[in-house]
Each structure stands twice: as C-alpha cells, then as structure tokens.
Amino acid sequence: MVGIVDVAELAGVSVGTVSNVINGRTDRMAPATQRRVQQAIVELGYQPNLAARFLKTGVTPLIGILVPSIAYPSWSWLIREIETYAAKKYGYRVLIGNTYRDRNKELEFLKSLVSHGIRSVIIVSSTLSQRIIHDGISDQLIAVSYDRRISKDKIHKIDYVSLDHIETMHIAVGHLVENGHQRIALVTVSGKSSSRMAKIKGFLEASASAALSGSSEIIVANAMDAYGDDEMPQLGRQVAEQLVAREDRPTGIVALNDMLAIGLIVGFQRCGLKVPDDVSVIGIDDLLLSAFVSPALTSLRPPVTEMAQTLVDLIIRRLRDPKIEPQERVFIPSLARRESVAKVS
Amino acid sequence: MVGIVDVAELAGVSVGTVSNVINGRTDRMAPATQRRVQQAIVELGYQPNLAARFLKTGVTPLIGILVPSIAYPSWSWLIREIETYAAKKYGYRVLIGNTYRDRNKELEFLKSLVSHGIRSVIIVSSTLSQRIIHDGISDQLIAVSYDRRISKDKIHKIDYVSLDHIETMHIAVGHLVENGHQRIALVTVSGKSSSRMAKIKGFLEASASAALSGSSEIIVANAMDAYGDDEMPQLGRQVAEQLVAREDRPTGIVALNDMLAIGLIVGFQRCGLKVPDDVSVIGIDDLLLSAFVSPALTSLRPPVTEMAQTLVDLIIRRLRDPKIEPQERVFIPSLARRESVAKVS
DNA sequence: CTGAAAGCGCTAACAG
DNA sequence: CTGTTAGCGCTTTCAG
C-alpha cells in the first residue's frame, strides 16, 4: 500500500503538507509545493486509506441500507437509485443488509454498521420500533426510514420518507370510478405493515366518499410467510382464480403492490378473462413490470429516483449537522403508462 | 465509542489480555480472567472497531460486489443469496456497486474497494477484460467472476463461476423437441456478452444435432441501451407481436432470459395465443417470475443459492490462502416448475 | 508557509 | 499466564 509518507518523500515535503493538499487546505500554500505533491500522488497512484482516515476523523463515506430483501423489485430499484446517487453526488458507498424482516438480523446488521464505523442508515420497511432502534444502537446512528412511520417522541427523532398511501388510494379508486366501475376491491395480503394499514384505510375512505352504487370490498390473501414478500405473484393468481368463479365479482381491482397486480392480471388472463376489458387491475408501486404485463392499463408509479435522492440528501444533511431537525417527506405516485421503447429486427 | 482499554480497565486486566480473549487466544489463560473479561465486554456493550483492526491486520470483513444493476431480478436474487450466506457463514458484509456496464464506473468502484481496505470482489457480468482488472488494481484484489469468462493467462488468475450455457441450451432444445416442436427459435437481444454468445452457440449446436424436420432460427431484438437489461420485457412483447403475424412462426421458443420470456408470454397472450398450447416458451435463468407467469410451463432454473455459496466460498478460501490455484465452477440449471404455496381467505 | 509529533483503537511480539 | 509497547496511515495542533 502506498501511503501519505511515500507521497511526501517523493514530493520532498512533509506529511502534513501532503495531507493539506489532499484535504483542500491549499489556500496559503506555495503553488509549486502544491504541484509537486499532486504529481507525486498521481505518479504513485496514491489512494487514501479510508480506515486510517476514519480512525482519526470518525467519518467514513459509507451508508448502511437495511432492507427485507433486495430480491423484491420495488426495493431493488429504490436501492439501485440510492447507491447510484450517493456515489455520484457524495462519493458515498452503500453497505446492504437483507434482513427478511427478522428482528435479530435487523439488530445484528445495525450493530455491524457501528462496528464498521458507519454512522448513517437507511431503513426500508423494517419491523423495528423506535425503541428498538434506539436501544444501545441508534444513538450512534443517524437513521432515515422509508415506508414506515416510526412513532415520534422526544427521545429520538429520525427522518422519514414515504408515499402518501391515503392519497394514492384516492387516486386509484377515483380512476376506477371515473372509468365506470361500480364494484371495486382492494386485494391485500395477511401480514400487517404500517404502509398496508394506510392503504386499507385510504381505500375505505375513498370508496366511501365515491358513493358507489355497487360494492367495495377488501380481499385478504393468506401468505405463508409473515409478510409474503416472495409469494406476491402466486397469491395474486390464486385470488384471481377464486374471483373468476363469482358472479358478482368486482370489475375494478386495486392491488396492494406491483407483484400482486401481476399475479392478478395473469390469473385472470389464464381463466380466459380479458384485462382490462373484463376486469381492471391497478397496481400500486409500479416499479418494473405491471404496466408492462398489461400495457393498456394505467398504473400508479411512485417517483423512485426522487425518493432515493431525498433519502440520501436527508441522511447526508443530518450527518453533517446532527442538530438539524428530522424531516418528513411524503410523495405521491402518478398515473402513468410505460412506453414501448424497442424495435425488432 | 467504548474501546478495548475500557474493557481492560473494568476487568482489571491489560489490553493485551482482552485482545487475546477477543481473538480466541485463550488456550493457556486463567478461566477466571477470561470470565471477567467476557463480563466486562457484555457489560459495556463492547463492539470491536473494525477500522482500527484493519489498520493493524490489513483485513476487513467486507466483500465487494460489482454488478450492472441490482434492479435486474436475476442478479438481485443472486446477490441477496451472496449477502445472506456471507454474513451467516463468515460474518462478512457486502459493498455493492451498480456499474451499468460502464467501464469508468467499474474501475472507480474497484478503486474505492481498495481504498476501503477491501481485498476481495465478486464481479457479476462485467465488461472488464482481465487486463483492465489487473491494471493497477487487481494485484490488490482477489476476484471471482460470475457469468463471464475472463481469459486466462499467466499474469493473473481469478476464480470463475457460471452456468453451462451450452448444456443449458441442449436441455432447452431437447425439451422442446421431445414435446413435438419442429419449428424452434432462440430469442435474444442485440448486445453481445460472453454468456449470450455461449447460449447462441449452444442453441445452434443443439438444434443441429436434433435433426429437426422444421426450422430453427435466431431472432435478435434490437435494444436501445447497449445491453438492454432494463428493456427485456418490452423487447419480448414486441418480438411476440411480430411473430404472431407469421404463418410459419416457431412453436417452441427459447428465451435468452427470464425477463425476455415474460415479455414473450405476455405478448403472445395479448394477441390471443394460448401459452403453452399454441406456442411454448422456455425461459432461461428462471429466477423470479417466468414459471409463475405461465405456470404450466417448464422452465430452466439455475441453482442460485448454490452458486452464491460457491462464489463466497471461493473468495474466502483464496483470501485466506492467496497461493491457492483459482478454480472454475460450472453449474447446470434444472427443469423445474414453481409450486403454488398460498391459500386465499 | 512548512515540519514535527501525538494519538485514533487495535494486534502481536516480547518481556516479565 | 499477563503486561507493555510499537506501530498500522492518517489528521491536526502547535512550533518554527
């Protein structure tokens, strides 16, 4: 490893001087000295040793990301955007931990962040209560939570970013009603997370105020896993197959998320129903596929890139000045249709 | 931060002793001393400072993962498995870099790994030639490549894990032929990667030896992006729509990958064809969805978990003993059908 | 304007 | 069997 002393030696200056140019304290430095140092740096291919720097400064350009599973498309896309933006804008890299919504894995991951000297973490849809996060850990960690409100109290505050699930449901239901649907349903799954609860609440609100002449209902698919993240498509398909048999089945369906929407669409199609002619499905959290699987359909797409940037900006901001008040940022998805972008030869 | 000296003080021993119990050098230590140290550790909630440890030992429990994009399902699943296994088996965490197959991003990521003191990297499907990897970087990095053979020469060797694409195509074509298909096609996209080339070669070989009475063809969809990773579903759908118009269209189709397969299936269905009754589609790299989108279909599923573990094991092994000869491990996907696993309430 | 030196937390070699 | 200590590469204060 080539260190700062090697650079100093080659440039014929002291290590202090080298350190100064590396860290931009170059205001009242002789230009000649500066140039010689720069030259030595490139000549030797000097790379700073971040661990040593951390040991001295207590800062390392790394952000932790705690997430149930990056194999789940909504999250993997969000995290990709986070990583890309953090690297480009701030030179930060990310350390990812898949925790499968397992409390022990979550706590272990947070501990290991501290051990690595990391002082910030983006928490995606975790089960952790504020108290747990706080217990012996988060006094060392600046956290921002995505998609889960962590109740505020005086002890500890964190930044908070999410979709406005209530408004989302109003948009979704409104769109179905506008298109003439009178029997509508929300399809969800059994595990309860705060975002799911909010979606249900929003759906009930919206369908109440829509004054449907038909019915509105909530259909809950029973997941085997606690939250069913990996089972979404299968669950959707099974719900579709059961619905097909019903005379009075809803004609407009809002799916809890994208994967569930795909399952529903495919399930209906396999039973011979046309989507969206016979039944409409709106996927929430459209991130990758649902608008594509049924391109004639409108779907609700969250501003993933913008949210990712907000998450990173909030974290960095508070890292630089921990006294800043934590914020809460809420985003609203937009009705969108994916364009076709390819030609075939 | 509570450090080793605090523990030493509380336990009434020297830092050397504390270090010894932390690192398991406890063979000829008085049990009483040992116990007191352990107690002090838990009492203070001591967590080792990994940066300081690295500074001394040159080792940090972190692996880099270079990947075009974790938003792509095949890779995000593989990486999830890698992360989970590395954490559980070895206590290693992973640092992920999305490089979008951009050479500069790739090189920057590798440099930053070195800067962080990381000495190992799993390279997923990169554009880097061996020479590039080697240039001023990989002499500091132990690398294992997934899904891309990096040509070997004497200068530098790396471990290598991939699917046997040739054999994969033999299985896929064989399966179609067994099921009576006489006109078959491989659908691929325009960007060339070594795995795509191998698949094409395998398809040609297999269909030649199958002595079809009908035709075999290769259909190339033109991606807008260099590799089209994000466009796969759209590309598949467009190919399907074009094929539907053809009288002599193939009845058995092998898709380059899972996302493309989904696009094809959905495209055919939207045009009123039944899958697999009217046309069969086999997805390679079945990781998340294709077997589900068309569950009656057989698809080729690679042993993702096993490959992930192999990648990690190879890296750790060579990290511990860099003189070990690099290996090459090739896996074969299996014909599989996804089970339904959920009930509906 | 530049050099010298202390010390971040840890490990390992050596002394007792 | 346990204690002492040098030093990993860096930043920063203080002298010069």
Side-chain angles (χ1 to χ4, degrees):
Chain A
M1 175 119 222
V2 25
I4 222 174
V5 293
D6 306 298
V7 177
E9 189 175 4
L10 179 59
V13 296
S14 73
V15 293
T17 307
V18 175
S19 175
N20 282 337
V21 3
I22 288 172
N23 294 290
R25 274 183 293 275
T26 173
D27 18 331
R28 39 190 144 178
M29 187 181 290
T33 315
Q34 206 181 135
R35 230 174 329 97
R36 264 183 306 138
V37 173
Q38 293 287 15
Q39 243 162 36
I41 285 177
V42 305
E43 198 160 320
L44 296 174
Y46 167 77
Q47 293 274 117
N49 181 326
L50 265 12
R53 182 177 288 176
F54 162 76
L55 205 56
K56 190 67 188 165
T57 64
V59 173
T60 186
L62 245 26
I63 300 178
I65 301 183
L66 185 159
V67 61
S69 160
I70 60 162
Y72 194 69
S74 319
W75 294 323
S76 68
W77 193 15
L78 178 75
I79 288 169
R80 185 187 73 172
E81 296 297 314
I82 290 173
E83 194 274 333
T84 303
Y85 181 70
K88 182 165 192 173
K89 178 89 179 278
Y90 299 106
Y92 270 60
R93 299 283 170 183
V94 302
L95 211 136
I96 293 174
N98 298 286
T99 56
Y100 303 89
R101 288 191 150 106
D102 176 283
R103 169 156 309 194
N104 285 332
K105 284 203 172 59
E106 292 177 330
L107 289 175
E108 259 181 39
F109 179 66
L110 293 183
K111 268 194 230 163
S112 84
L113 293 185
V114 173
S115 227
H116 277 285
I118 297 169
R119 305 173 45 101
S120 59
V121 61
I122 295 172
I123 296 178
V124 176
S125 199
S126 95
T127 64
L128 295 178
S129 72
Q130 163 153 351
R131 199 178 52 71
I132 301 281
I133 290 188
H134 188 258
D135 273 358
I137 290 169
S138 86
D139 48 335
Q140 324 214 35
L141 243 23
I142 303 222
V144 47
S145 172
Y146 172 76
D147 201 34
R148 184 186 196 289
R149 166 172 277 108
I150 289 178
S151 63
K152 291 185 175 181
D153 57 53
K154 296 99 223 162
I155 302 178
H156 192 243
K157 294 183 175 181
I158 70 176
D159 288 303
Y160 178 64
V161 171
S162 81
L163 289 169
D164 184 337
H165 299 299
I166 305 281
E167 179 61 18
T168 298
M169 281 298 160
H170 279 271
I171 297 173
V173 169
H175 185 259
L176 288 177
V177 171
E178 266 172 37
N179 284 272
H181 294 277
Q182 287 297 324
R183 292 194 309 279
I184 63 176
L186 169 68
V187 177
T188 178
V189 297
S190 46
K192 289 203 190 330
S193 71
S194 67
S195 62
R196 287 179 193 170
M197 312 279 272
K199 284 173 184 166
I200 291 172
K201 180 164 173 246
F203 178 82
L204 291 173
E205 264 183 41
S207 45
S209 69
L212 297 167
S213 68
S215 61
S216 87
E217 61 184 307
I218 294 188
I219 299 168
V220 181
N222 272 332
M224 310 258 308
D225 283 346
Y227 287 84
D229 295 327
D230 286 344
E231 308 164 42
M232 290 298 173
Q234 289 98 320
L235 288 167
R237 210 183 71 232
Q238 300 212 347
V239 170
E241 282 161 7
Q242 300 225 348
L243 283 177
V244 166
R246 279 176 42 185
E247 284 289 322
D248 63 335
R249 67 164 177 271
T251 61
I253 292 180
V254 184
L256 181 74
N257 59 44
D258 210 50
M259 291 292 108
L260 202 54
I262 294 179
L264 285 160
I265 292 167
V266 172
F268 285 130
Q269 285 177 340
R270 285 177 47 75
C271 293
L273 291 190
K274 295 250 182 233
V275 181
D277 304 329
D278 299 325
V279 55
S280 269
V281 179
I282 291 191
I284 309 294
D285 296 352
D286 161 38
L287 290 176
L288 187 61
L289 287 171
S290 79
F292 147 73
V293 167
S294 186
L297 229 51
T298 310
S299 63
L300 283 171
R301 185 156 350 140
V304 179
T305 303
E306 211 182 323
M307 291 192 299
Q309 297 186 353
T310 302
L311 285 164
V312 174
D313 287 337
L314 286 177
I315 272 285
I316 298 282
R317 205 178 53 113
R318 221 139 60 78
L319 217 39
R320 290 182 176 163
D321 182 1
K323 284 169 311 218
I324 287 183
E325 280 293 293
Q327 292 195 358
E328 190 168 333
R329 298 276 183 88
V330 178
F331 292 85
I332 296 177
S334 52
L335 286 165
R337 185 170 310 179
R338 195 170 295 265
E339 301 288 332
S340 291
V341 293
K343 285 178 300 185
V344 176
S345 74
Chain B
M1 177 118 222
V2 25
I4 222 173
V5 293
D6 305 297
V7 176
E9 189 174 2
L10 179 60
V13 297
S14 73
V15 292
T17 307
V18 175
S19 175
N20 281 338
V21 2
I22 289 171
N23 294 290
R25 274 184 294 276
T26 174
D27 17 332
R28 40 191 142 175
M29 187 180 291
T33 315
Q34 208 181 134
R35 230 172 330 98
R36 263 184 307 138
V37 172
Q38 292 287 13
Q39 245 163 35
I41 285 177
V42 307
E43 198 161 319
L44 295 174
Y46 167 78
Q47 292 274 119
N49 181 325
L50 265 12
R53 183 178 286 175
F54 162 76
L55 205 55
K56 187 67 188 169
T57 63
V59 173
T60 186
L62 246 25
I63 300 178
I65 302 183
L66 185 159
V67 61
S69 160
I70 60 161
Y72 194 70
S74 319
W75 294 323
S76 67
W77 193 13
L78 179 74
I79 288 170
R80 186 188 73 172
E81 296 296 314
I82 290 173
E83 195 273 334
T84 303
Y85 182 70
K88 182 165 191 172
K89 177 89 178 275
Y90 300 106
Y92 270 60
R93 298 283 170 185
V94 302
L95 211 137
I96 293 175
N98 298 286
T99 56
Y100 303 88
R101 288 191 152 108
D102 175 282
R103 169 155 309 194
N104 285 333
K105 283 203 173 60
E106 292 177 330
L107 289 174
E108 258 181 38
F109 179 66
L110 293 183
K111 267 195 229 162
S112 84
L113 292 185
V114 174
S115 228
H116 277 286
I118 296 170
R119 304 171 47 100
S120 58
V121 60
I122 295 173
I123 296 177
V124 175
S125 199
S126 97
T127 64
L128 295 176
S129 71
Q130 162 151 355
R131 200 178 52 70
I132 301 280
I133 291 190
H134 188 260
D135 274 357
I137 291 168
S138 87
D139 47 336
Q140 324 215 37
L141 243 23
I142 304 226
V144 47
S145 172
Y146 172 75
D147 201 35
R148 185 184 197 288
R149 166 172 276 108
I150 289 176
S151 63
K152 291 185 176 180
D153 56 53
K154 294 100 220 159
I155 302 177
H156 192 241
K157 293 184 174 181
I158 70 177
D159 288 303
Y160 177 67
V161 170
S162 82
L163 288 169
D164 184 336
H165 299 298
I166 305 282
E167 179 61 18
T168 297
M169 281 297 159
H170 278 273
I171 296 172
V173 169
H175 185 258
L176 288 176
V177 171
E178 264 171 40
N179 283 272
H181 295 277
Q182 286 297 323
R183 293 195 307 280
I184 64 177
L186 170 68
V187 177
T188 177
V189 298
S190 45
K192 288 204 192 327
S193 71
S194 67
S195 62
R196 288 179 193 170
M197 311 280 272
K199 284 173 185 167
I200 291 172
K201 180 163 174 248
F203 178 82
L204 291 172
E205 263 183 43
S207 46
S209 68
L212 296 168
S213 68
S215 61
S216 87
E217 60 184 307
I218 293 186
I219 298 167
V220 181
N222 272 333
M224 310 256 308
D225 283 345
Y227 287 85
D229 295 326
D230 285 344
E231 307 166 42
M232 290 298 173
Q234 289 96 319
L235 288 167
R237 209 183 73 232
Q238 300 214 345
V239 170
E241 282 162 5
Q242 299 227 347
L243 283 178
V244 166
R246 277 176 44 186
E247 285 288 322
D248 63 334
R249 67 164 176 271
T251 61
I253 292 180
V254 184
L256 181 74
N257 58 45
D258 210 47
M259 291 293 107
L260 202 54
I262 293 178
L264 285 160
I265 292 167
V266 172
F268 285 130
Q269 285 177 342
R270 286 178 47 77
C271 293
L273 290 191
K274 295 246 182 237
V275 180
D277 304 329
D278 298 326
V279 55
S280 269
V281 179
I282 291 191
I284 308 296
D285 296 352
D286 161 37
L287 291 178
L288 187 62
L289 287 171
S290 79
F292 148 73
V293 167
S294 187
L297 230 52
T298 310
S299 63
L300 282 171
R301 182 151 359 133
V304 178
T305 304
E306 210 181 325
M307 291 193 299
Q309 298 186 352
T310 302
L311 285 164
V312 175
D313 287 337
L314 286 176
I315 273 285
I316 298 281
R317 204 177 55 111
R318 219 138 62 78
L319 217 40
R320 290 181 177 163
D321 181 3
K323 285 170 310 221
I324 287 184
E325 279 293 293
Q327 291 194 1
E328 190 168 335
R329 298 275 183 88
V330 179
F331 291 85
I332 296 177
S334 53
L335 286 165
R337 184 171 311 179
R338 194 170 295 264
E339 301 287 333
S340 292
V341 292
K343 286 177 301 186
V344 176
S345 74

